């Protein structure tokens, strides 16, 4: 790790404290960095926005994409005050980030009431074995739209 890595992590940690102390949500902060500069910041805003997806990493990724005018964050690194939960980790993959650098580990988050271990166990289960009931409906109609997408000549793949 370089001194700039440490500076970006300190920035994420400072955002986690500022958001927490300001009543925005839990103690989590994140920054997206590209070409040695912060592109976007995020802090947990779940309780202040009534949005369960407003985790620091997701907020930072959304803001970075808006700032850069693109949905692909190749060439960027996410610095986050805590190891990403499954949702945030998935968002990092979908954003095509080059790397994730984190401070606290998920067991430390669990120790203060943010335990996402059950999610890590739920995701790999077969659909019918998950604790959240799921059922398939109108599969043939839904498939028609997928087929139209596959044939769409001007689609933007991602």
């Amino acid at each position: 790790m370089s001194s700039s890595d440490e500076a970006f992590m300190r920035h994420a940690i400072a955002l986690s404290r500022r958001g927490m102390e300001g009543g925005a949500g839990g103690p989590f902060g994140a920054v997206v960095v590209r070409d040695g500069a912060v592109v976007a910041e995020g802090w947990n805003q779940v309780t202040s926005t009534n949005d369960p997806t407003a985790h620091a990493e997701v907020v930072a990724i959304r803001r970075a994409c808006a700032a850069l005018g693109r949905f692909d964050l190749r060439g960027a690194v996410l610095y986050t005050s805590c190891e990403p939960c499954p949702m945030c980790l998935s968002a990092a993959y979908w954003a095509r980030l080059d790397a994730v650098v984190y401070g606290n580990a998920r067991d430390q988050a669990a120790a203060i009431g943010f335990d996402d271990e059950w999610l890590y166990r739920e995701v790999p289960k077969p659909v019918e074995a998950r604790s959240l009931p799921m059922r398939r409906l109108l599969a043939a109609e839904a498939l028609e739209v997928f087929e139209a997408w596959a044939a769409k000549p001007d689609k933007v793949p991602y």
Side-chain angles (χ1 to χ4, degrees), residues 47-125:
T47 58
S48 60
T49 63
N50 294 318
D51 180 354
T53 69
H55 290 200
E57 299 90 338
V58 171
V59 171
I61 288 168
R62 288 175 180 163
R63 289 178 175 168
C65 289
L68 295 172
R70 52 192 277 196
F71 55 82
D72 181 322
L73 294 178
R74 283 181 175 90
V77 175
L78 176 68
Y79 292 82
T80 177
S81 64
C82 187
E83 181 179 355
C85 74
M87 177 184 67
C88 294
L89 180 60
S90 296
Y93 276 106
W94 277 114
R96 309 294 196 260
L97 288 158
D98 283 6
V100 175
V101 181
Y102 65 92
N104 293 310
R106 68 189 202 205
D107 61 325
Q108 293 171 303
I112 62 164
F114 296 94
D115 190 355
D116 51 17
E117 189 58 38
W118 65 277
L119 281 170
Y120 282 99
R121 288 192 310 268
E122 281 288 304
V123 170
K125 289 181 181 178

Side-chain angles (χ1 to χ4, degrees), residues 6-28:
E6 290 178 358
F8 294 133
M9 181 56 72
R10 283 192 178 97
H11 189 144
I13 292 167
L15 289 169
S16 73
R17 179 177 297 279
R18 187 172 57 186
M20 174 194 67
E21 290 176 349
F28 305 96

